[in-house]
Amino acid sequence: CGLPENNLTLRDIYEEWVKLLPRTPDPPQDSIRQELRKFTRERLGMPDKLPLVSAKKVERIKYDKLLAEFWLIKTEPDIQLSGVLIKKKGSDKSIVLVPGRDEEAIVQALNDGHRVFTFDPRGTGEIIDGGGRVRNWAWFSGRTWTSLWTFDIMQSAEFCLKTFPGSGIIISA
């Protein structure tokens, strides 16, 4: 028994894939940054021009010293994400994007005086896998889950910049 001729091991496949990745100096120069952005967008299957983000405020609730605004964000045609902007009274620092429901990250950002926008990227949160009905969602859209989640984060940041002018964006990882 033995491996078929020209068989690739997992390590061989990994090395072939890694060879394609760009190599950059640290920190990268502006021209290299542009190349990296282009490479990443192509690899993730991102459109050259992102669709305009639209949003609708659904509700606004005050709790003691907190204010919560509930939003529906249309990130691309026929796709809506739910999100909540949370802020303490008088806070106007940058907005921290918290994809998912990371309570620790939300509390930390609020305690540091930031506003928080938390949202569920596609296929997470309330529709984590729809009982198995949406597991192929990314495949049907011609993109990967990583691409869809990256897109949702980018569009959520765009929504915050457009809706809350003057705010910087920090992404909680």
Side-chain angles (χ1 to χ4, degrees):
C1 187
L3 294 174
E5 194 174 317
N6 298 322
N7 186 68
L8 296 176
T9 65
L10 286 175
R11 183 183 180 117
D12 296 332
I13 294 167
Y14 175 76
E15 285 177 2
E16 279 186 10
W17 187 80
V18 169
K19 272 191 245 177
L20 301 173
L21 297 177
R23 305 291 185 257
T24 63
D26 189 23
Q29 301 149 345
D30 286 341
S31 61
I32 293 174
R33 275 197 181 107
Q34 293 301 327
E35 289 176 35
L36 285 173
R37 284 190 178 116
K38 183 177 186 270
F39 174 85
T40 304
R41 289 179 84 91
E42 288 172 358
R43 191 52 68 100
L44 290 173
M46 295 286 180
D48 289 331
K49 186 174 181 191
L50 296 177
L52 293 176
V53 178
S54 61
K56 176 183 175 188
K57 190 188 308 183
V58 178
E59 191 171 2
R60 183 182 171 132
I61 299 175
K62 289 183 183 180
Y63 304 96
D64 293 330
K65 297 177 184 177
L66 291 177
L67 174 67
E69 293 180 355
F70 297 83
W71 292 85
L72 285 177
I73 307 168
K74 191 171 186 176
T75 57
E76 59 185 309
D78 301 322
I79 301 295
Q80 286 189 139
L81 304 178
S82 57
V84 182
L85 179 74
I86 307 166
K87 64 180 185 174
K88 284 186 173 180
K89 199 174 206 171
S91 68
D92 60 356
K93 277 188 172 181
S94 299
I95 295 175
V96 176
L97 290 182
V98 181
R101 300 167 187 219
D102 185 344
E103 289 179 34
E104 213 173 286
I106 293 168
V107 169
Q108 180 67 48
L110 289 171
N111 287 340
D112 289 346
H114 295 284
R115 295 170 286 172
V116 172
F117 186 74
T118 183
F119 61 98
D120 290 334
R122 285 176 255 197
T124 67
E126 293 175 1
I127 60 163
I128 194 159
D129 79 356
R133 293 184 309 278
V134 295
R135 288 188 188 136
N136 292 332
W137 190 0
W139 181 76
F140 286 128
S141 74
R143 290 162 37 205
T144 65
W145 280 113
T146 304
S147 172
L148 294 178
W149 295 331
T150 302
F151 190 85
D152 292 343
I153 291 168
M154 290 170 62
Q155 292 294 75
S156 295
E158 182 65 25
F159 156 74
C160 288
L161 289 171
K162 184 174 99 176
T163 308
F164 312 106
S167 56
I169 300 294
I170 300 168
I171 300 174
S172 172

